[in-house]
Amino acid sequence: MRTTVKVLAASALATVSLAAAGAAPALAAAPAPFCESGASQFYCDASSTGTTTWSITWYSGSVGTFTTAGPTLVAACPASNLGHPVRASYSYYDGSTTQYSGTTQFICRSGPWQ
């Protein structure tokens, strides 16, 4: 009887562990994007294929979401964000799973590109 209970408990624990593992968010599998800024705009380049969803976190803490057909994003820096740090990351579907990138940080610049 004790053996049966132990086997059933182990089986239930394994099932719960697998279910929890499936619900966990994926770790960053793709490298962080390369980003630079100048002339009140920014450019980011990803290591993605196809449709890319960008998450841009502004200095104020608000988050902008952009979707591009390929691996690059070019957008304007809001005037309130000029001279302040911005964080960027992206995700894309590789045909079997959604890949998530690491995060990079850059400064929104009004002057020369850097």
Side-chain angles (χ1 to χ4, degrees), residues 75-93:
C77 291
S80 62
N81 210 75
L82 291 173
H84 296 290
V86 177
R87 291 189 316 268
S89 62
Y90 63 92
S91 64
Y92 69 100
Y93 184 72

Side-chain angles (χ1 to χ4, degrees), residues 30-72:
F34 166 79
C35 297
E36 60 183 350
S37 175
S40 300
Q41 298 180 346
F42 67 94
Y43 164 88
C44 290
D45 188 32
S47 295
S48 61
T49 56
T51 302
T52 304
T53 301
W54 295 87
S55 178
I56 306 297
T57 305
W58 304 106
Y59 177 71
S60 66
S62 65
V63 177
T65 303
F66 301 86
T67 301
T68 59
T72 58

